[in-house]
């Protein structure tokens, strides 16, 4: 409530002396979105508009783009889990400790201002099949922040940062509730959300092709890690963006070649080795090394092959079933004794000076604090 009043106060001071219903409505939407998007704040960080210095003619596939894996999880603590128990208790699924689900600790608005431009988010219906909300498997992130609400946070940010472009990867999250299905109702609601008049304004309306930064400034490229296979094909035909069909995305693989445009034979090269396949019990040091190796091998491949193709590498991982478990945080940041993938990448990335590494998706992207800047400085 205090936060909401503060927002209203800010809008009263900054906007016209008699705010319109539409400005009140936007504040209401952003307030609903805030458990996932974060409280909307302005910043003077130079990383908030780093693309200003990149020429319009630059191909998006030639850029080094910092990204975040499971962006929606940044505030998923024990307190959040407890606060949502009345909703998740409607279902039979067991929800594990919060550290198994949490992959970030700064809000999406902070990510944007810190220079992150590619976002991985996971959606499904709430337990009553009414609204599309954010999950990380059986962990619900918020009951007020719908997918549509959170999109308005991105839209507003783009209005204020017209030099920038964003890629949003939407993935249907299975296993959220015991009955969850990627059924026609789910797919129809997603289609509706991504084709509203606002979405048509802010999402690039091109299909299965990456263009130049100039064409994409002020816009969102939709990365479709979902199918609309329960709906007539006219729905898939009508939805813009790039289709990374889950049926083509090999699970837990360090080296995926995914054809997203068969007519033009356009292929994306992906590293998504999210859970080391080593036997249990080898420990954090071994598994972190395995993941660091998979990530750096893919970044080297990005620098040496297929210069005009998209490279998309995930530095994020976990091995929760290991004994002891390696949570996303331990894999990214280490366990106190051994350093994590992030620290090791911060030390290694400068060896790639002048090279294209493509999109790099981080967990806990802001540790160490200069990680994003190191990537941008290549
Ligand atoms: C983060 O989670 C805590 C605990 O549930 C909550 O009090 C706080 O309001 C959340 N932050 C935002 C921005 O929603
Ligand atoms: C940003 O603002 C802070 C205080 O609000 C100030 O200390 C800092 O110098 C500013 N940075 C730039 C780059 O303007
Ligand atoms: C939600 O949808 C699923 C799949 O269609 C169904 O099995 C389940 O009963 C529905 N739940 C509610 C509360 O309607
Ligand atoms: C498609 O592109 C890949 C990689 O550039 C190449 O190896 C393959 O031969 C191409 N296939 C066709 C049918 O052109
Ligand atoms: C971190 O993991 C290594 C093994 O990989 C282990 O030897 C060490 O005791 C662990 N440190 C902590 C604080 O758990
Ligand atoms: C990681 O790569 C290095 C260098 O190629 C190799 O020596 C090491 O055995 C690899 N580690 C694992 C865990 O596979």
């Amino acid at each position: 409530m205090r936060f909401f009043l503060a927002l209203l106060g800010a809008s009263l001071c900054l906007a016209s002396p008699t705010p319109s219903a539409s400005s009140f409505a936007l504040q209401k939407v952003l307030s609903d979105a805030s458990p996932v998007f974060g409280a909307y704040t302005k910043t003077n960080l130079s990383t908030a508009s780093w693309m200003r210095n990149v020429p319009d003619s630059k191909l998006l596939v030639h850029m080094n783009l910092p990204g975040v894996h499971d962006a929606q999880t940044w505030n998923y603590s024990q307190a959040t889990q407890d606060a949502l128990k009345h909703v998740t208790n409607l279902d039979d699924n067991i929800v594990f400790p919060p550290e198994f689900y949490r992959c970030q600790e700064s809000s999406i608005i902070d990510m944007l201002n810190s220079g992150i431009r590619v976002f991985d988010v996971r959606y499904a219906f709430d337990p009553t099949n009414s609204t599309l909300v954010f999950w990380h498997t059986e962990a619900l992130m918020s009951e007020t922040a719908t997918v549509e609400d959170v999109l308005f946070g991105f839209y507003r940010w783009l209005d204020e940062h017209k030099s920038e472009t964003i890629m949003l990867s939407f993935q249907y999250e299975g296993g959220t509730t015991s009955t969850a299905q990627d059924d026609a109702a789910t797919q129809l609601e997603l289609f509706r959300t991504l084709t509203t008049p606002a979405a048509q304004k802010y999402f690039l309306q091109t299909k299965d092709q990456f263009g130049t930064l100039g064409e994409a400034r002020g816009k969102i490229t939709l990365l479709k890690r979902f199918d609309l296979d329960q709906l007539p094909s006219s729905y898939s035909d009508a939805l813009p963006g790039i289709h990374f069909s889950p049926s083509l995305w090999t699970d837990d693989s360090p080296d995926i070649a995914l054809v997203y445009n068969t007519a033009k034979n356009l292929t994306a090269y992906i590293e998504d080795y999210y859970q080391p396949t080593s036997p249990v019990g080898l420990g954090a040091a071994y598994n972190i090394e395995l993941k660091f190796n998979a990530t750096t091998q893919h970044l080297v491949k990005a620098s040496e092959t297929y210069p005009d193709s998209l490279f998309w590498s995930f530095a994020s991982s976990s091995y929760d079933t290991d004994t002891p478990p390696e949570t996303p945080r331990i894999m990214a940041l280490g366990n106190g004794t051994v350093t994590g993938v992030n620290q090791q990448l911060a030390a290694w990335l400068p060896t790639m000076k002048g090279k294209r590494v493509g999109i790099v998706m981080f967990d806990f992207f802001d540790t160490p604090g200069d990680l994003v800047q190191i990537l941008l400085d290549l």
Side-chain angles (χ1 to χ4, degrees):
M1 191 57 187
R2 179 173 301 181
F3 164 71
F4 188 56
L5 289 175
L7 266 181
L8 287 182
S11 95
L12 285 170
C13 298
L14 295 172
S16 61
T18 51
S20 61
S22 63
S23 76
F24 285 125
L26 178 61
Q27 300 309 334
K28 150 77 168 120
V29 171
L30 294 179
S31 173
D32 287 348
S34 65
V36 167
F37 190 76
Y40 201 95
T41 46
K42 298 198 179 200
T43 174
N44 63 359
L45 289 173
S46 61
T47 45
S49 46
W50 67 264
M51 288 177 167
R52 222 183 258 169
N53 305 320
V54 184
D56 277 352
S57 58
K58 188 87 169 176
L59 291 177
L60 294 174
V61 295
H62 286 176
M63 295 178 74
N64 294 333
L65 296 171
V68 282
H69 163 258
D70 271 306
Q72 77 280 3
T73 61
W74 65 274
N75 197 32
Y76 196 72
S77 64
Q78 191 61 54
T80 307
Q81 186 172 95
D82 291 346
L84 291 167
K85 271 213 167 88
H86 67 290
V87 185
T88 48
N89 280 356
L90 297 172
D91 184 66
D92 298 331
N93 271 353
I94 295 165
V95 185
F96 294 97
E99 57 271 23
F100 283 29
Y101 303 104
R102 188 166 183 164
C103 301
Q104 304 293 339
E105 55 195 352
S106 292
S107 66
I108 290 181
I109 178 78
D110 286 347
M111 293 168 182
L112 284 162
N113 290 334
S114 302
I116 297 292
R117 294 294 172 266
V118 185
F119 295 82
D120 159 57
V121 294
R122 314 289 171 90
Y123 67 90
F125 264 144
D126 72 307
T128 67
N129 296 336
S130 306
T131 52
L132 290 184
V133 290
F134 295 91
W135 299 83
H136 192 189
T137 57
E138 47 287 284
L140 175 65
M141 299 297 134
S142 161
E143 56 174 344
T144 63
T146 65
V147 169
E148 188 165 19
D149 293 335
V150 169
L151 284 176
F152 273 92
F154 285 101
Y155 301 159
R156 176 169 176 194
W157 188 86
L158 281 171
D159 278 345
E160 290 169 2
H161 300 87
K162 293 189 164 48
S163 57
E164 306 304 292
T165 195
I166 295 168
M167 296 185 186
L168 275 184
S169 166
F170 278 96
Q171 184 180 2
Y172 172 74
E173 188 77 339
T176 54
T177 66
S178 55
T179 59
Q181 283 176 37
D182 192 11
D183 57 8
T186 303
Q187 296 186 1
L188 196 59
E189 177 58 7
L190 184 70
F191 179 84
R192 187 198 66 74
T193 305
L194 295 172
T195 54
T196 60
Q200 289 183 43
K201 174 175 174 194
Y202 290 96
F203 280 92
L204 269 174
Q205 296 296 302
T206 51
K207 234 171 121 70
D208 292 331
Q209 206 163 341
F210 292 97
T212 64
L213 175 60
E215 293 158 355
R217 287 193 208 273
K219 304 271 184 189
I220 303 168
T221 301
L222 176 63
L223 308 179
K224 299 181 281 190
R225 285 185 69 183
F226 57 82
D227 294 327
L228 297 179
D229 54 354
Q230 303 302 307
L231 303 174
S233 61
S234 55
Y235 285 85
S236 298
D237 295 345
L239 193 64
I242 292 104
H243 192 197
F244 296 89
S245 176
S247 65
L248 302 176
W249 187 294
T250 315
D251 189 49
D252 199 20
S253 170
D255 197 8
I256 306 167
L258 190 156
V259 178
Y260 58 87
N261 184 330
T262 41
K264 295 189 171 159
N265 191 27
L266 300 178
T267 306
Y269 297 90
I270 300 162
E271 178 268 310
D272 185 31
Y273 186 50
Y274 62 85
Q275 174 163 294
T277 47
S278 55
V280 296
L282 292 186
Y286 184 87
N287 287 307
I288 288 167
E289 187 177 305
L290 207 57
K291 177 64 192 184
F292 173 77
N293 281 2
T295 307
T296 51
Q297 274 162 23
H298 203 254
L299 299 181
V300 168
K301 182 173 174 176
S303 72
E304 292 176 347
T305 60
Y306 307 122
D308 296 331
S309 296
L310 183 81
F311 271 76
W312 191 1
S313 308
F314 287 73
S316 49
S317 58
S318 68
Y319 194 178
D320 292 331
T321 50
D322 200 9
T323 35
E326 277 99 46
T327 59
R329 180 188 294 270
I330 288 175
M331 290 298 291
L333 307 183
N335 68 356
T337 309
V338 297
T339 60
V341 172
N342 287 11
Q343 291 96 338
Q344 296 185 26
L345 277 178
W348 178 86
L349 274 170
T351 66
M352 301 300 277
K353 186 83 189 161
K355 307 222 164 112
R356 188 283 296 262
V357 294
I359 303 172
V360 188
M361 307 292 278
F362 299 106
D363 273 350
F364 300 95
F365 79 94
D366 45 358
T367 306
D370 54 354
L371 183 57
V372 167
Q373 195 61 53
I374 289 171
L375 180 63
L376 295 181
D377 285 346
L378 292 186

